[in-house]
Amino acid sequence: MRILGIDPGLAIVGFGFIDKTGNKLTPVQYGSIQTEAHTPEEERLLHVYEGMVQLIDRYKPDMVAIEKLFFARNVTTALPVAQARGVLILAAVQKGLPVYEYTPMMVKQAVVGYGKAEKKQVQEMVKLLLKLSAVPKPDDVADALAVAVCHAHSVSLNSKLNEVLRK
């Protein structure tokens, strides 16, 4: 099973493709889609959308896991990020992919085992779990891989629960 994890943003979209075979997680490709700050917002959104479509076509994930937005204060950045998140979800749905959403706390809980873990702890666990030589940069990339790992763990848990419920 191939999972695409996404950390949404307008300036930087982190993405990470991982393969899950049994309990083994293997990184396939990861990186970011970046847009220029002084470009009109509609052009930036188009760039994010087209970049995601190209990635989906190239790496052919079975499902997409995306981080839910959580903004306590800054509405100014929340709206453009929400729009970028919308075009990212649109790209996935147009390709017929199921989309799963996880809050930052859910991702931290799944990756580190503690929902209030520090960003650095999450990054180090991503590096360890995926056997990477270094923490992926920028941070958005490590966050996207963490979302993919979270979904991989959730899929395992859900299938085990369904087995128990069927008995």
Side-chain angles (χ1 to χ4, degrees):
M1 154 188 348
R2 181 160 291 170
I3 303 166
L4 165 56
I6 301 173
D7 180 36
L10 185 60
I12 302 173
V13 175
F15 67 85
F17 292 87
I18 64 171
D19 282 346
K20 180 179 185 327
T21 310
N23 289 330
K24 185 179 180 196
L25 301 178
T26 308
V28 175
Q29 182 61 281
Y30 50 90
S32 63
I33 301 168
Q34 299 188 18
T35 65
E36 293 295 323
H38 300 292
T39 306
E41 198 168 288
E42 60 275 12
E43 288 179 30
R44 295 174 84 182
L45 290 168
L46 180 62
H47 180 73
V48 165
Y49 171 80
E50 289 175 341
M52 186 52 59
V53 168
Q54 289 173 2
L55 287 166
I56 290 170
D57 286 345
R58 183 168 184 187
Y59 295 102
K60 304 194 183 328
D62 298 304
M63 59 201 61
V64 174
I66 189 166
E67 189 170 83
K68 280 187 179 182
L69 296 183
F70 176 78
F71 288 91
R73 295 176 213 102
N74 197 343
V75 175
T76 308
T77 56
L79 292 175
V81 173
Q83 290 176 317
R85 190 173 176 278
V87 300
L88 291 161
I89 291 171
L90 175 64
V93 171
Q94 282 185 328
K95 294 294 181 178
L97 299 171
V99 177
Y100 301 87
E101 302 174 274
Y102 297 94
T103 65
M105 187 176 274
M106 293 163 77
V107 173
K108 291 173 181 180
Q109 180 69 42
V111 176
V112 178
Y114 176 58
K116 294 183 180 179
E118 297 293 323
K119 193 171 202 62
K120 198 83 176 147
Q121 291 172 295
V122 175
Q123 293 171 347
E124 286 299 323
M125 281 304 294
V126 164
K127 177 183 156 195
L128 286 170
L129 290 168
L130 297 177
K131 298 174 179 59
L132 302 173
S133 58
V135 172
K137 295 289 179 200
D139 291 351
D140 312 76
V141 178
D143 293 347
L145 286 167
V147 174
V149 169
C150 171
H151 184 67
H153 291 322
S154 296
V155 167
S156 297
L157 183 60
N158 287 335
S159 65
K160 286 176 185 168
L161 283 171
N162 287 334
E163 283 176 30
V164 169
L165 293 174
R166 276 188 240 127
K167 290 181 181 176

